[in-house]
């Protein structure tokens, strides 16, 4: 059990009370590490909103970069000659695939690299990246808005 009642010295064991007449708390907490920090993981939104700004921005930056790298790897793996995927277009290095991934997600526009309509797997990867981008953008903007509009304690 997380809480256990223990009577004070000389107290009668009639009814267990949370607070005695003098206002002393009669509950002793027994918590292990997972129970102590488990409530942070149950409500991740509030935990992130209550975090300092640098942690929120670091979390957002990490999410964006990891999605760019993940989809760049998918584009690069799909452009190899031995892969079952089709060629996207002129992706010679991983940096070209990363540039295609960033261009696709930020909707800057395609320069030298683009996905052709002949490549079904490339179109599916592009659609998945756009959906992930919309979800990430909405989540991050919601977190920033919630953090900005939260009432602050003032002196």
């Amino acid at each position: 059990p997380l809480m256990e009642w223990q009577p004070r010295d000389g107290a009668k064991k009639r009814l267990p009370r949370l607070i005695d007449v003098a206002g002393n708390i009669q509950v002793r907490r027994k918590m292990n590490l997972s129970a102590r920090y488990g409530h942070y993981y149950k409500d991740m939104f509030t935990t992130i909103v209550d975090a300092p700004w640098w942690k929120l921005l670091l979390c957002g930056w990490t999410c964006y970069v990891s999605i760019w790298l993940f989809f760049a790897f998918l584009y690069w793996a799909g452009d190899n000659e031995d892969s079952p995927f089709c060629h996207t277009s002129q992706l010679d290095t991983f940096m070209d695939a990363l540039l295609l991934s960033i261009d696709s997600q930020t909707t800057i526009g395609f320069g030298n690299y683009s996905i052709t309509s002949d490549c079904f797997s490339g179109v599916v990867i592009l659609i998945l990246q756009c959906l992930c981008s919309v979800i990430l953008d909405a989540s991050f903007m919601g977190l920033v808005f919630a953090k900005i509009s939260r009432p602050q304690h003032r002196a």
Side-chain angles (χ1 to χ4, degrees), residues 7-35:
R8 297 183 69 178
D9 296 334
K12 297 178 183 177
K13 290 189 174 184
R14 224 179 9 198
L15 290 172
R17 297 184 179 206
L18 296 176
I19 300 175
D20 65 359
V21 179
N24 298 320
I25 297 175
Q26 300 290 327
V27 177
R28 186 181 65 169
R29 294 179 181 248
K30 288 183 173 181
M31 298 183 109
N32 57 7
L33 189 61
S34 63

Side-chain angles (χ1 to χ4, degrees), residues 74-85:
L74 290 181
Y75 289 132
W76 186 59
D79 198 50
N80 291 335
E81 295 175 2
D82 299 332
S83 71
F85 301 112

